[in-house]
Amino acid sequence: RVSGYAAILAESYGLSLDMVKKIRLYASLHDVGKVGIPDHILKKEGLYTPEEYEIMKKHVEIGYNMLNNKDVDEVVKNIILYHHEKWDGSGYLKGLSKEQIPIEARIVTLADVFDALTTKRVYKPAFDNEKAFSIIQEEKGKHFDPAIVDLFFHDIEKILAIQKKYSTESNDN
């Protein structure tokens, strides 16, 4: 789902066909670093302690280090390392803001958050789409690039078609 959402947003943003293909392919690797997070944290029900959250945040660096060599496309490395950065600079790992965050990461960030909001996780139930839309709109200019949010709502029918096509645990309301 994340790859599909991200590809729709990348195409609407006007990125090249090659870049859209890369984002579609690499978006699914955004959390690859979670293989290095202990299961007792990764599968924990409920909120993380501050210490557990610090460990969980390391998944971006772990994933980046797994693929950081000269033969690996910068696009995938950017998605992995920067998908938890926020438009207002309050994200992690580097505290980047606005256009400092590579476009591929800004796109995958919104795709990933929409999927996380609308999918049941061990730590939370799935929110319905209306609740997710409200959160995304509220985070426009804070968590998310405002232009990407606008594209998300412009392409909402395409987004929802991807959600429905690949629905397993998501709430299609």
Side-chain angles (χ1 to χ4, degrees):
R1 290 183 302 264
V2 173
S3 292
Y5 303 150
I8 289 166
L9 295 170
E11 185 175 344
S12 287
Y13 195 85
L15 298 179
S16 70
L17 183 58
D18 182 54
M19 187 64 150
V20 172
K21 286 179 181 179
K22 287 180 179 185
I23 290 172
R24 179 187 303 275
L25 179 63
Y26 300 148
S28 62
L29 296 173
H30 69 279
D31 278 340
V32 69
K34 286 185 177 179
V35 300
I37 303 299
D39 280 349
H40 74 276
I41 294 174
L42 197 60
K43 297 178 180 181
K44 180 180 178 177
E45 295 182 27
L47 297 176
Y48 294 128
T49 66
E51 296 80 17
E52 290 168 334
Y53 185 58
E54 289 303 313
I55 293 168
M56 179 56 89
K57 288 183 352 185
K58 292 181 182 197
H59 80 276
V60 297
E61 192 171 26
I62 293 167
Y64 177 81
N65 288 336
M66 288 169 59
L67 296 177
N68 187 23
N69 74 62
K70 64 179 176 54
D71 297 323
V72 175
D73 195 317
E74 287 298 313
V75 174
V76 70
K77 292 189 279 187
N78 286 342
I79 288 170
I80 292 167
L81 189 59
Y82 302 123
H83 74 278
H84 284 289
E85 299 291 347
K86 294 182 181 181
W87 184 252
D88 67 4
S90 67
Y92 64 87
L93 200 64
K94 304 287 185 185
L96 302 180
S97 65
K98 299 186 168 92
E99 286 85 8
Q100 292 176 316
I101 306 165
I103 185 62
E104 56 269 28
R106 285 184 271 149
I107 287 170
V108 172
T109 295
L110 181 51
D112 180 39
V113 170
F114 177 65
D115 190 61
L117 290 171
T118 57
T119 305
K120 182 182 181 300
R121 303 291 168 100
V122 294
Y123 54 88
K124 68 158 207 59
F127 293 141
D128 65 35
N129 286 338
E130 292 308 315
K131 174 75 171 168
F133 297 161
S134 175
I135 292 168
I136 290 168
Q137 193 63 45
E138 186 177 304
E139 290 297 313
K140 179 179 177 179
K142 299 174 196 167
H143 192 147
F144 308 117
D145 177 338
I148 305 296
V149 172
D150 290 345
L151 292 173
F152 175 86
F153 287 110
H154 178 267
D155 291 328
I156 198 63
E157 294 306 319
K158 292 177 186 176
I159 298 287
L160 294 177
I162 295 289
Q163 183 188 54
K164 185 173 184 175
K165 181 177 181 180
Y166 296 105
S167 179
T168 55
E169 300 172 3
S170 66
N171 186 338
D172 295 327
N173 294 327

